[in-house]
Amino acid sequence: MSTKLPYVKTVTKRRIAVTQMRRAILLYREGDFICSLTLAGAAEEILGKMVAQRGHSSALDDFATRDRKLWEWAAKREPRLTVPPNAELRRRLNCLRNDLKHNDSGTDKRVVAIFDYSAEEMLLRCIRNYLKLYGKPPRDKVIADWLA
């Protein structure tokens, strides 16, 4: 008796991330910011791990550094402000993405955010990671048009 294996396809993490970015942009254009952010966040994480593996700072690291500088500037003008630790800055940058993926409390809590802005920022993070890895944007018309 012969048993056939189901059709199996191999795909690289790079291709997966580009596919996710492309679909995230299409969803963004349609106004589906929640799904756009979720897919862009997946691509950002895949590419960010690849950037870190090469010993470079990921877009998440870069955005956390940006936020730290803003906090430090503000804290000089308002001494009651305390600059959050790096881990907290990173947690805040990923908070909405994680809220959209997980339900740690198990309750039907409300998620309040500026979803369009957050989706756009996540798209910029995943594209930044791609640029760090490959030195140029993906050869995809949807992504290229969005960047133009």
Side-chain angles (χ1 to χ4, degrees), residues 7 26 33-34 37 61 63 72-73 89-90 124-125:
Y7 177 71
L26 293 171
F33 305 118
I34 291 171
L37 191 151
D61 298 325
F63 278 51
E72 288 169 349
W73 175 84
L89 292 171
R90 292 169 58 90
L124 292 172
R125 281 171 47 185

Side-chain angles (χ1 to χ4, degrees), residues 65-125:
T65 298
R66 171 205 66 187
D67 289 357
R68 169 166 285 296
K69 288 177 182 176
L70 286 169
W71 272 96
E72 288 169 349
W73 175 84
K76 285 180 184 173
R77 283 143 187 84
E78 177 50 66
R80 292 177 293 176
L81 288 177
T82 303
V83 179
N86 284 337
E88 176 62 15
L89 292 171
R90 292 169 58 90
R91 187 198 68 74
R92 290 177 187 182
L93 285 164
N94 282 335
C95 184
L96 180 57
R97 180 188 75 180
N98 292 338
D99 264 356
L100 297 179
K101 291 187 337 183
H102 307 288
N103 188 6
D104 294 338
S105 71
T107 63
D108 188 21
K109 72 175 191 170
R110 291 189 180 274
V111 177
V112 179
I114 305 171
F115 292 101
D116 58 338
Y117 170 84
S118 299
E120 187 174 305
E121 184 174 77
M122 191 61 70
L123 280 163
L124 292 172
R125 281 171 47 185

Side-chain angles (χ1 to χ4, degrees), residues 2-17:
S2 169
T3 307
K4 290 187 177 184
L5 293 175
Y7 177 71
V8 177
K9 184 177 180 180
T10 301
V11 63
T12 65
K13 291 291 188 170
R14 177 181 184 172
R15 173 54 42 207
I16 291 167

Side-chain angles (χ1 to χ4, degrees), residues 2-63:
S2 169
T3 307
K4 290 187 177 184
L5 293 175
Y7 177 71
V8 177
K9 184 177 180 180
T10 301
V11 63
T12 65
K13 291 291 188 170
R14 177 181 184 172
R15 173 54 42 207
I16 291 167
V18 169
T19 301
Q20 290 170 328
M21 273 191 276
R22 182 179 205 285
R23 181 59 59 187
I25 289 168
L26 293 171
L27 290 165
Y28 183 90
R29 286 180 180 162
E30 292 173 13
D32 186 347
F33 305 118
I34 291 171
C35 290
S36 174
L37 191 151
T38 303
L39 273 178
E44 187 270 344
E45 187 170 345
I46 288 170
L47 296 169
K49 298 283 185 181
M50 293 168 68
V51 169
Q53 178 68 24
R54 293 184 183 183
H56 302 292
S57 65
S58 69
L60 175 60
D61 298 325
D62 296 346
F63 278 51

